[in-house]
Amino acid sequence: MNIISPKQDQNVALVVGPMASGKSALALDIAKKQPSVIINADSAQVYSDLTVLSARPTEQEMDGIEHQLFGYIDGSEACSAARWANDAKTAIANAHERDLLPILVGGTGLYVRVLLDGIAPIPEIDAEIREKIRKLEALEAYQALQTLDPVSAARLNAADITRIQRALEVIQSTGKPLDHWQKNKTGGIAANIQLHPLVLLPPREWLYERCDLRFDQMIDMGALEEVQRLISRKLPSNLPVMRAIGVSELAKWLAGDISEEAALEQAKTATRQYAKRQYTWFRNQSPSEWMRIEGSFNNDIDSIIETILR
C-alpha cells in the first residue's frame, strides 16, 4: 500500500456521509493502517450532553485511536460552523505537527464546507432590522426580498422563511446582497491542504433500516436517561442540543404526552428523514471530483483505504 505522508502537502483525509452509513468504522480502519487522529465533523457529536443520541463513539469503539472534537462543548452553548471550523483547523495543524494524518469524519456538510471554503464575512446584523424582519409574514418577506435582492429570491423557495429572512436582513443591514458576501469567503483551508475525500452513499433501504436499528440500540444504551438529564438542566428550548433528533420525542414520552410506541416511531421517522436529507446533500453538493461509493462497500474495504491513502 502506498501510504501517504501526513506532512507532505499537508494531507487531510475526509470520510463523510449520512448517519448510520458506516463512515466512523471506515475512518477507524484507515487510522489502523496509518498513524492518525480522527476529528469529528458532526454537529451533534460536539456536545457532551449527547453521548447516546448522537451515536458518539465510546472508548471501546475508539479502539485506542485518538479522537478529537467529540463531546467537547457543553449543551448550554450553541456551536456554530465557524467555531467548529476554527477548532478543526487547530486540531489538523496539531496532527500535522505530530506526523499524524488528520481524518475528518462526519455528516454535517455545512461544517465541512466552511472549513474548506471559508465563511462569508457578513457584518453583524442590526438588531432592530432583524426584529422587524422576523415579524413579517412569509409572503411579505419574500416579496420584499424579490424587490431588494432578486438573485437570492430566485434561488430560494418562497416557503423557506428562515433563509428568506436571513437574505433580507443581510441586504437591509449591510446594503449588499447575500451573494456579494458569499463570493468573498475567507478562512478556508482548501488551498493549503491536499484533501483525500470519500463520500459514502449506501443503499437507501439499507440505510433506513440501519437508522431504525440504531435508535433501538440507543434506547438500550440509555437514551431515555440522557434526555431526562437534559430536561433537568432546564436549558432553553432553542439550543441545538435540545433540538437534536430524539430529544423532543423522548421528552414527550417522559412527560406522558405520548406513548412509548408513538415516541419511538416519531424519533425513528425523524432520523430517517434527516438521513435522507444528508444523503441528498452529499450526493448533490459534494464536488464531482470527490471519490464516491454508492452501494455496499463492505467487501472492498482494503482497496478503498488504499485508494484514499495514495
Side-chain angles (χ1 to χ4, degrees):
M1 182 181 298
N2 185 14
I3 301 295
I4 64 176
S5 166
K7 277 192 173 180
Q8 181 182 354
D9 295 324
Q10 299 295 288
N11 288 292
V12 176
L14 172 67
V15 182
V16 292
M19 60 171 60
S21 62
K23 55 188 179 293
S24 296
L26 183 54
L28 197 62
D29 286 335
I30 296 172
K32 290 177 180 179
K33 295 179 180 294
Q34 167 84 44
S36 305
V37 174
I38 294 178
I39 301 172
N40 171 49
D42 182 282
S43 61
Q45 291 186 348
V46 302
Y47 294 107
S48 58
D49 302 76
L50 295 177
T51 302
V52 179
L53 283 176
S54 72
R56 202 168 75 221
T58 63
E59 287 293 331
Q60 183 178 2
E61 290 169 335
M62 291 180 186
D63 202 13
I65 303 298
E66 183 179 352
H67 285 58
Q68 293 192 8
L69 305 191
F70 289 86
Y72 75 110
I73 294 177
D74 187 83
S76 61
E77 303 176 51
C79 181
S80 66
R83 174 180 175 176
W84 174 85
N86 284 330
D87 294 339
K89 291 175 192 177
T90 300
I92 290 169
N94 181 264
H96 285 148
E97 284 299 314
R98 294 184 290 149
D99 287 329
L100 298 174
L101 174 68
I103 306 175
L104 294 165
V105 58
T108 304
L110 176 62
Y111 275 24
V112 174
R113 174 180 284 177
V114 170
L115 174 66
L116 297 177
D117 300 335
I119 192 167
I122 301 173
E124 186 173 349
I125 302 301
D126 182 275
E128 292 185 5
I129 291 177
R130 171 169 288 163
E131 183 179 0
K132 181 179 178 181
I133 290 174
R134 296 301 165 91
K135 292 179 180 179
L136 296 176
E137 296 293 334
L139 180 58
E140 187 179 8
Y142 186 67
Q143 290 174 337
L145 188 63
Q146 286 179 310
T147 300
L148 296 173
D149 183 2
V151 173
S152 292
R155 185 178 67 249
L156 297 173
N157 186 303
D160 192 346
I161 183 61
T162 300
R163 289 183 172 83
I164 289 171
Q165 289 174 335
R166 176 59 175 166
L168 192 56
E169 66 186 25
V170 167
I171 182 67
Q172 288 196 359
S173 184
T174 70
K176 293 183 174 62
L178 190 58
D179 185 59
H180 164 83
W181 299 106
Q182 291 177 338
K183 287 179 179 178
N184 295 279
K185 293 181 179 179
T186 61
I189 66 171
N192 302 318
I193 63 170
Q194 182 64 43
L195 189 67
H196 301 260
L198 174 64
V199 181
L200 299 182
L201 298 171
R204 288 180 184 266
E205 289 306 314
W206 177 89
L207 179 65
Y208 300 152
E209 289 175 5
R210 290 261 299 184
C211 287
D212 287 348
L213 175 62
R214 190 172 82 159
F215 202 86
D216 286 333
Q217 293 172 337
M218 288 176 176
I219 295 298
D220 293 338
M221 294 172 63
L224 198 62
E225 292 78 9
E226 186 168 84
V227 172
Q228 182 67 71
R229 289 192 295 272
L230 264 176
I231 294 173
S232 69
R233 296 194 65 187
K234 301 185 184 302
L235 297 173
S237 60
N238 63 339
L239 283 172
V241 73
M242 298 304 295
R243 292 186 280 108
I245 294 174
V247 172
S248 64
E249 295 85 358
L250 296 186
K252 286 186 287 186
W253 174 18
L254 286 167
D257 296 334
I258 59 176
S259 67
E260 173 184 354
E261 181 180 5
L264 296 182
E265 181 53 39
Q266 288 179 19
K268 288 180 180 180
T269 298
T271 301
R272 293 193 300 270
Q273 290 174 339
Y274 185 65
K276 181 180 180 180
R277 291 195 297 272
Q278 287 181 307
Y279 189 105
T280 301
W281 196 96
F282 284 114
R283 186 177 187 181
N284 298 331
Q285 300 297 325
S286 298
S288 58
E289 65 270 17
W290 284 12
M291 179 181 176
R292 298 166 185 244
I293 298 179
E294 299 195 39
S296 177
F297 64 87
N298 292 331
N299 297 325
D300 201 25
I301 290 178
D302 286 340
S303 63
I304 291 170
I305 295 175
E306 183 175 359
T307 301
I308 295 173
L309 296 182
R310 283 176 182 168

Short mmCIF file of all heavy atoms in Angstrom, two decimals, residues 157-207:
data_model
loop_
_atom_site.label_atom_id
_atom_site.label_comp_id
_atom_site.label_asym_id
_atom_site.label_seq_id
_atom_site.Cartn_x
_atom_site.Cartn_y
_atom_site.Cartn_z
N ASN A 157 -36.80 28.99 -2.14
CA ASN A 157 -38.20 28.60 -2.18
C ASN A 157 -39.01 29.63 -1.40
O ASN A 157 -38.60 30.07 -0.32
CB ASN A 157 -38.36 27.20 -1.55
CG ASN A 157 -39.78 26.66 -1.67
OD1 ASN A 157 -40.73 27.29 -1.23
ND2 ASN A 157 -39.90 25.49 -2.26
N ALA A 158 -40.15 30.03 -1.93
CA ALA A 158 -40.96 31.08 -1.30
C ALA A 158 -41.42 30.68 0.11
O ALA A 158 -41.78 31.56 0.91
CB ALA A 158 -42.17 31.39 -2.17
N ALA A 159 -41.39 29.39 0.43
CA ALA A 159 -41.83 28.93 1.76
C ALA A 159 -40.66 28.78 2.74
O ALA A 159 -40.87 28.49 3.92
CB ALA A 159 -42.56 27.60 1.63
N ASP A 160 -39.45 29.00 2.26
CA ASP A 160 -38.27 28.82 3.12
C ASP A 160 -38.03 30.11 3.91
O ASP A 160 -37.13 30.89 3.63
CB ASP A 160 -37.04 28.49 2.26
CG ASP A 160 -35.87 28.00 3.08
OD1 ASP A 160 -35.91 28.18 4.31
OD2 ASP A 160 -34.92 27.46 2.49
N ILE A 161 -38.86 30.32 4.91
CA ILE A 161 -38.88 31.59 5.62
C ILE A 161 -37.56 31.89 6.33
O ILE A 161 -37.12 33.04 6.38
CB ILE A 161 -40.06 31.61 6.64
CG1 ILE A 161 -40.15 32.97 7.35
CG2 ILE A 161 -39.92 30.49 7.64
CD1 ILE A 161 -40.40 34.13 6.41
N THR A 162 -36.89 30.87 6.84
CA THR A 162 -35.64 31.10 7.57
C THR A 162 -34.58 31.71 6.67
O THR A 162 -33.94 32.72 7.02
CB THR A 162 -35.11 29.79 8.18
OG1 THR A 162 -36.08 29.27 9.08
CG2 THR A 162 -33.81 30.03 8.92
N ARG A 163 -34.39 31.12 5.50
CA ARG A 163 -33.36 31.64 4.57
C ARG A 163 -33.79 32.96 3.94
O ARG A 163 -32.95 33.81 3.62
CB ARG A 163 -33.05 30.59 3.51
CG ARG A 163 -32.27 29.40 4.05
CD ARG A 163 -31.91 28.41 2.95
NE ARG A 163 -31.01 27.39 3.44
CZ ARG A 163 -31.40 26.29 4.09
NH1 ARG A 163 -32.69 26.09 4.33
NH2 ARG A 163 -30.52 25.40 4.50
N ILE A 164 -35.08 33.12 3.73
CA ILE A 164 -35.58 34.38 3.19
C ILE A 164 -35.31 35.51 4.18
O ILE A 164 -34.83 36.59 3.81
CB ILE A 164 -37.09 34.28 2.89
CG1 ILE A 164 -37.32 33.38 1.67
CG2 ILE A 164 -37.70 35.67 2.64
CD1 ILE A 164 -38.77 33.04 1.41
N GLN A 165 -35.60 35.27 5.45
CA GLN A 165 -35.34 36.28 6.47
C GLN A 165 -33.86 36.61 6.55
O GLN A 165 -33.48 37.78 6.69
CB GLN A 165 -35.84 35.78 7.84
CG GLN A 165 -37.34 35.73 7.97
CD GLN A 165 -37.78 35.09 9.28
OE1 GLN A 165 -37.06 34.29 9.87
NE2 GLN A 165 -38.98 35.43 9.72
N ARG A 166 -33.01 35.58 6.46
CA ARG A 166 -31.57 35.81 6.53
C ARG A 166 -31.10 36.69 5.38
O ARG A 166 -30.36 37.66 5.57
CB ARG A 166 -30.84 34.47 6.51
CG ARG A 166 -29.31 34.56 6.47
CD ARG A 166 -28.77 35.30 7.66
NE ARG A 166 -27.31 35.29 7.70
CZ ARG A 166 -26.58 36.07 8.48
NH1 ARG A 166 -27.16 36.92 9.30
NH2 ARG A 166 -25.25 35.98 8.47
N ALA A 167 -31.54 36.36 4.16
CA ALA A 167 -31.12 37.14 3.00
C ALA A 167 -31.64 38.57 3.09
O ALA A 167 -30.95 39.53 2.72
CB ALA A 167 -31.63 36.48 1.72
N LEU A 168 -32.86 38.72 3.60
CA LEU A 168 -33.47 40.04 3.69
C LEU A 168 -32.75 40.91 4.74
O LEU A 168 -32.49 42.10 4.51
CB LEU A 168 -34.95 39.91 4.05
CG LEU A 168 -35.83 41.16 3.92
CD1 LEU A 168 -35.75 41.73 2.51
CD2 LEU A 168 -37.27 40.81 4.27
N GLU A 169 -32.40 40.31 5.87
CA GLU A 169 -31.72 41.09 6.90
C GLU A 169 -30.30 41.47 6.48
O GLU A 169 -29.80 42.52 6.86
CB GLU A 169 -31.72 40.33 8.24
CG GLU A 169 -30.91 39.07 8.27
CD GLU A 169 -31.08 38.31 9.58
OE1 GLU A 169 -32.14 38.48 10.23
OE2 GLU A 169 -30.17 37.53 9.93
N VAL A 170 -29.67 40.63 5.66
CA VAL A 170 -28.33 40.95 5.18
C VAL A 170 -28.37 42.15 4.24
O VAL A 170 -27.58 43.10 4.39
CB VAL A 170 -27.69 39.73 4.47
CG1 VAL A 170 -26.43 40.15 3.70
CG2 VAL A 170 -27.34 38.66 5.48
N ILE A 171 -29.28 42.14 3.28
CA ILE A 171 -29.35 43.24 2.32
C ILE A 171 -29.77 44.54 2.99
O ILE A 171 -29.26 45.62 2.69
CB ILE A 171 -30.30 42.91 1.13
CG1 ILE A 171 -30.33 44.04 0.11
CG2 ILE A 171 -31.70 42.62 1.61
CD1 ILE A 171 -29.04 44.24 -0.63
N GLN A 172 -30.68 44.47 3.97
CA GLN A 172 -31.15 45.68 4.63
C GLN A 172 -30.13 46.22 5.63
O GLN A 172 -30.01 47.43 5.81
CB GLN A 172 -32.49 45.41 5.33
CG GLN A 172 -33.65 45.24 4.37
CD GLN A 172 -35.00 45.38 5.06
OE1 GLN A 172 -35.08 45.58 6.26
NE2 GLN A 172 -36.07 45.26 4.29
N SER A 173 -29.38 45.33 6.26
CA SER A 173 -28.44 45.76 7.29
C SER A 173 -27.10 46.19 6.71
O SER A 173 -26.48 47.14 7.21
CB SER A 173 -28.22 44.64 8.31
OG SER A 173 -27.39 45.06 9.37
N THR A 174 -26.65 45.51 5.65
CA THR A 174 -25.31 45.79 5.10
C THR A 174 -25.35 46.62 3.83
O THR A 174 -24.31 47.17 3.42
CB THR A 174 -24.56 44.49 4.80
OG1 THR A 174 -25.15 43.83 3.67
CG2 THR A 174 -24.58 43.55 6.00
N GLY A 175 -26.50 46.65 3.17
CA GLY A 175 -26.58 47.38 1.91
C GLY A 175 -26.09 46.58 0.72
O GLY A 175 -26.11 47.05 -0.42
N LYS A 176 -25.64 45.36 0.97
CA LYS A 176 -25.15 44.48 -0.10
C LYS A 176 -25.87 43.15 -0.01
O LYS A 176 -26.15 42.64 1.09
CB LYS A 176 -23.64 44.27 0.01
CG LYS A 176 -22.80 45.51 -0.25
CD LYS A 176 -21.32 45.19 -0.19
CE LYS A 176 -20.47 46.40 -0.60
NZ LYS A 176 -20.65 47.54 0.30
N PRO A 177 -26.17 42.54 -1.17
CA PRO A 177 -26.90 41.26 -1.16
C PRO A 177 -26.05 40.11 -0.62
O PRO A 177 -24.82 40.19 -0.56
CB PRO A 177 -27.24 41.05 -2.64
CG PRO A 177 -26.18 41.79 -3.37
CD PRO A 177 -25.88 43.00 -2.53
N LEU A 178 -26.72 39.06 -0.23
CA LEU A 178 -26.05 37.90 0.33
C LEU A 178 -25.03 37.33 -0.66
O LEU A 178 -23.94 36.88 -0.27
CB LEU A 178 -27.09 36.83 0.68
CG LEU A 178 -26.63 35.61 1.48
CD1 LEU A 178 -26.02 36.04 2.80
CD2 LEU A 178 -27.79 34.66 1.70
N ASP A 179 -25.36 37.36 -1.93
CA ASP A 179 -24.47 36.83 -2.96
C ASP A 179 -23.12 37.55 -2.96
O ASP A 179 -22.08 36.93 -3.20
CB ASP A 179 -25.14 36.96 -4.33
CG ASP A 179 -24.31 36.32 -5.43
OD1 ASP A 179 -24.05 35.11 -5.34
OD2 ASP A 179 -23.92 37.03 -6.37
N HIS A 180 -23.11 38.84 -2.68
CA HIS A 180 -21.86 39.60 -2.62
C HIS A 180 -20.94 39.05 -1.55
O HIS A 180 -19.74 38.86 -1.78
CB HIS A 180 -22.17 41.07 -2.32
CG HIS A 180 -20.97 41.86 -1.86
ND1 HIS A 180 -20.05 42.39 -2.74
CD2 HIS A 180 -20.52 42.16 -0.60
CE1 HIS A 180 -19.11 43.01 -2.05
NE2 HIS A 180 -19.36 42.88 -0.76
N TRP A 181 -21.48 38.79 -0.37
CA TRP A 181 -20.67 38.29 0.74
C TRP A 181 -20.21 36.86 0.49
O TRP A 181 -19.08 36.49 0.83
CB TRP A 181 -21.46 38.38 2.05
CG TRP A 181 -21.86 39.78 2.39
CD1 TRP A 181 -23.10 40.34 2.29
CD2 TRP A 181 -21.00 40.83 2.86
NE1 TRP A 181 -23.08 41.66 2.66
CE2 TRP A 181 -21.80 41.99 3.03
CE3 TRP A 181 -19.64 40.90 3.16
CZ2 TRP A 181 -21.27 43.20 3.49
CZ3 TRP A 181 -19.11 42.09 3.63
CH2 TRP A 181 -19.92 43.23 3.78
N GLN A 182 -21.08 36.05 -0.10
CA GLN A 182 -20.73 34.65 -0.33
C GLN A 182 -19.64 34.48 -1.38
O GLN A 182 -18.96 33.45 -1.42
CB GLN A 182 -21.99 33.87 -0.72
CG GLN A 182 -22.97 33.72 0.44
CD GLN A 182 -24.25 33.01 0.06
OE1 GLN A 182 -24.62 32.97 -1.12
NE2 GLN A 182 -24.94 32.45 1.04
N LYS A 183 -19.47 35.47 -2.23
CA LYS A 183 -18.41 35.42 -3.24
C LYS A 183 -17.05 35.81 -2.66
O LYS A 183 -16.03 35.68 -3.34
CB LYS A 183 -18.75 36.35 -4.41
CG LYS A 183 -19.87 35.84 -5.31
CD LYS A 183 -20.17 36.83 -6.42
CE LYS A 183 -21.26 36.32 -7.34
NZ LYS A 183 -21.60 37.32 -8.40
N ASN A 184 -17.06 36.29 -1.44
CA ASN A 184 -15.81 36.76 -0.83
C ASN A 184 -15.53 36.03 0.48
O ASN A 184 -15.17 36.65 1.48
CB ASN A 184 -15.89 38.27 -0.59
CG ASN A 184 -15.99 39.06 -1.88
OD1 ASN A 184 -15.01 39.32 -2.54
ND2 ASN A 184 -17.21 39.44 -2.25
N LYS A 185 -15.69 34.73 0.47
CA LYS A 185 -15.47 33.95 1.68
C LYS A 185 -14.00 33.99 2.09
O LYS A 185 -13.11 34.05 1.25
CB LYS A 185 -15.91 32.50 1.45
CG LYS A 185 -17.42 32.34 1.26
CD LYS A 185 -17.80 30.89 1.05
CE LYS A 185 -19.30 30.73 0.89
NZ LYS A 185 -19.69 29.32 0.66
N THR A 186 -13.79 33.92 3.39
CA THR A 186 -12.43 33.95 3.92
C THR A 186 -12.23 32.83 4.94
O THR A 186 -13.19 32.35 5.54
CB THR A 186 -12.15 35.30 4.62
OG1 THR A 186 -13.07 35.46 5.71
CG2 THR A 186 -12.29 36.45 3.66
N GLY A 187 -10.98 32.44 5.12
CA GLY A 187 -10.64 31.49 6.18
C GLY A 187 -10.64 30.04 5.78
O GLY A 187 -10.33 29.17 6.61
N GLY A 188 -10.96 29.71 4.53
CA GLY A 188 -10.97 28.31 4.12
C GLY A 188 -9.57 27.74 3.98
O GLY A 188 -8.62 28.46 3.68
N ILE A 189 -9.44 26.43 4.18
CA ILE A 189 -8.11 25.80 4.13
C ILE A 189 -7.91 24.95 2.88
O ILE A 189 -6.86 24.32 2.73
CB ILE A 189 -7.86 24.94 5.37
CG1 ILE A 189 -8.81 23.72 5.39
CG2 ILE A 189 -8.00 25.75 6.65
CD1 ILE A 189 -8.47 22.70 6.47
N ALA A 190 -8.89 24.92 1.99
CA ALA A 190 -8.81 24.02 0.84
C ALA A 190 -7.55 24.22 0.02
O ALA A 190 -6.95 23.24 -0.47
CB ALA A 190 -10.05 24.20 -0.05
N ALA A 191 -7.12 25.46 -0.15
CA ALA A 191 -5.95 25.74 -0.98
C ALA A 191 -4.64 25.38 -0.29
O ALA A 191 -3.59 25.31 -0.94
CB ALA A 191 -5.93 27.22 -1.36
N ASN A 192 -4.69 25.11 1.01
CA ASN A 192 -3.47 24.88 1.77
C ASN A 192 -3.27 23.42 2.18
O ASN A 192 -2.32 23.11 2.89
CB ASN A 192 -3.48 25.75 3.03
CG ASN A 192 -3.59 27.22 2.71
OD1 ASN A 192 -2.96 27.72 1.79
ND2 ASN A 192 -4.40 27.93 3.47
N ILE A 193 -4.18 22.55 1.77
CA ILE A 193 -4.07 21.13 2.13
C ILE A 193 -4.22 20.27 0.89
O ILE A 193 -4.67 20.73 -0.17
CB ILE A 193 -5.13 20.72 3.16
CG1 ILE A 193 -6.54 20.87 2.56
CG2 ILE A 193 -4.99 21.51 4.45
CD1 ILE A 193 -7.64 20.28 3.41
N GLN A 194 -3.82 19.01 1.03
CA GLN A 194 -4.07 18.01 -0.01
C GLN A 194 -5.17 17.11 0.54
O GLN A 194 -4.93 16.28 1.43
CB GLN A 194 -2.80 17.20 -0.29
CG GLN A 194 -2.95 16.16 -1.39
CD GLN A 194 -3.23 16.79 -2.74
OE1 GLN A 194 -2.62 17.79 -3.11
NE2 GLN A 194 -4.16 16.22 -3.48
N LEU A 195 -6.38 17.29 0.03
CA LEU A 195 -7.54 16.58 0.57
C LEU A 195 -7.71 15.22 -0.10
O LEU A 195 -7.59 15.09 -1.32
CB LEU A 195 -8.80 17.42 0.36
CG LEU A 195 -10.06 16.92 1.05
CD1 LEU A 195 -9.92 17.03 2.57
CD2 LEU A 195 -11.29 17.71 0.58
N HIS A 196 -8.00 14.21 0.72
CA HIS A 196 -8.28 12.85 0.24
C HIS A 196 -9.70 12.51 0.68
O HIS A 196 -9.92 11.90 1.73
CB HIS A 196 -7.28 11.86 0.82
CG HIS A 196 -5.85 12.17 0.49
ND1 HIS A 196 -5.16 11.53 -0.52
CD2 HIS A 196 -5.00 13.08 1.02
CE1 HIS A 196 -3.93 12.02 -0.59
NE2 HIS A 196 -3.81 12.97 0.33
N PRO A 197 -10.71 12.91 -0.13
CA PRO A 197 -12.10 12.78 0.30
C PRO A 197 -12.76 11.47 -0.14
O PRO A 197 -12.41 10.88 -1.16
CB PRO A 197 -12.77 13.96 -0.39
CG PRO A 197 -12.00 14.11 -1.68
CD PRO A 197 -10.58 13.68 -1.37
N LEU A 198 -13.73 11.05 0.66
CA LEU A 198 -14.55 9.89 0.32
C LEU A 198 -15.97 10.16 0.80
O LEU A 198 -16.19 10.51 1.97
CB LEU A 198 -14.01 8.63 0.99
CG LEU A 198 -14.88 7.37 0.83
CD1 LEU A 198 -14.97 6.96 -0.63
CD2 LEU A 198 -14.33 6.23 1.68
N VAL A 199 -16.94 10.00 -0.09
CA VAL A 199 -18.35 10.17 0.24
C VAL A 199 -19.02 8.81 0.19
O VAL A 199 -18.98 8.12 -0.83
CB VAL A 199 -19.04 11.13 -0.76
CG1 VAL A 199 -20.51 11.32 -0.39
CG2 VAL A 199 -18.33 12.47 -0.81
N LEU A 200 -19.65 8.42 1.30
CA LEU A 200 -20.35 7.14 1.38
C LEU A 200 -21.84 7.36 1.13
O LEU A 200 -22.49 8.14 1.82
CB LEU A 200 -20.15 6.50 2.75
CG LEU A 200 -18.72 6.16 3.16
CD1 LEU A 200 -18.70 5.49 4.52
CD2 LEU A 200 -18.05 5.26 2.12
N LEU A 201 -22.37 6.67 0.15
CA LEU A 201 -23.79 6.75 -0.20
C LEU A 201 -24.34 5.33 -0.30
O LEU A 201 -24.49 4.79 -1.40
CB LEU A 201 -23.98 7.51 -1.51
CG LEU A 201 -23.51 8.97 -1.52
CD1 LEU A 201 -23.55 9.54 -2.92
CD2 LEU A 201 -24.38 9.81 -0.58
N PRO A 202 -24.63 4.69 0.83
CA PRO A 202 -25.09 3.31 0.83
C PRO A 202 -26.51 3.18 0.28
O PRO A 202 -27.20 4.19 0.10
CB PRO A 202 -25.05 2.93 2.31
CG PRO A 202 -25.26 4.22 3.03
CD PRO A 202 -24.56 5.26 2.19
N PRO A 203 -26.96 1.96 -0.02
CA PRO A 203 -28.33 1.78 -0.49
C PRO A 203 -29.32 2.39 0.49
O PRO A 203 -29.20 2.21 1.71
CB PRO A 203 -28.48 0.25 -0.55
CG PRO A 203 -27.08 -0.26 -0.71
CD PRO A 203 -26.22 0.69 0.06
N ARG A 204 -30.29 3.10 -0.03
CA ARG A 204 -31.21 3.83 0.84
C ARG A 204 -31.97 2.93 1.80
O ARG A 204 -32.10 3.25 2.99
CB ARG A 204 -32.19 4.65 -0.01
CG ARG A 204 -31.55 5.86 -0.69
CD ARG A 204 -32.58 6.61 -1.49
NE ARG A 204 -32.02 7.72 -2.25
CZ ARG A 204 -31.98 8.97 -1.82
NH1 ARG A 204 -32.45 9.27 -0.63
NH2 ARG A 204 -31.47 9.93 -2.58
N GLU A 205 -32.52 1.83 1.31
CA GLU A 205 -33.30 0.96 2.18
C GLU A 205 -32.43 0.40 3.30
O GLU A 205 -32.87 0.30 4.45
CB GLU A 205 -33.95 -0.18 1.36
CG GLU A 205 -35.07 0.28 0.45
CD GLU A 205 -36.14 1.05 1.21
OE1 GLU A 205 -36.56 0.59 2.29
OE2 GLU A 205 -36.54 2.13 0.73
N TRP A 206 -31.20 0.03 2.97
CA TRP A 206 -30.27 -0.45 3.98
C TRP A 206 -30.00 0.64 5.01
O TRP A 206 -29.94 0.38 6.21
CB TRP A 206 -28.97 -0.87 3.29
CG TRP A 206 -27.87 -1.33 4.21
CD1 TRP A 206 -27.66 -2.60 4.66
CD2 TRP A 206 -26.84 -0.51 4.79
NE1 TRP A 206 -26.55 -2.63 5.49
CE2 TRP A 206 -26.03 -1.36 5.59
CE3 TRP A 206 -26.52 0.84 4.72
CZ2 TRP A 206 -24.92 -0.89 6.31
CZ3 TRP A 206 -25.42 1.31 5.45
CH2 TRP A 206 -24.64 0.44 6.22
N LEU A 207 -29.84 1.86 4.52
CA LEU A 207 -29.55 2.99 5.40
C LEU A 207 -30.71 3.23 6.37
O LEU A 207 -30.49 3.41 7.57
CB LEU A 207 -29.31 4.24 4.56
CG LEU A 207 -29.01 5.54 5.33
CD1 LEU A 207 -27.69 5.41 6.10
CD2 LEU A 207 -28.97 6.72 4.37
#
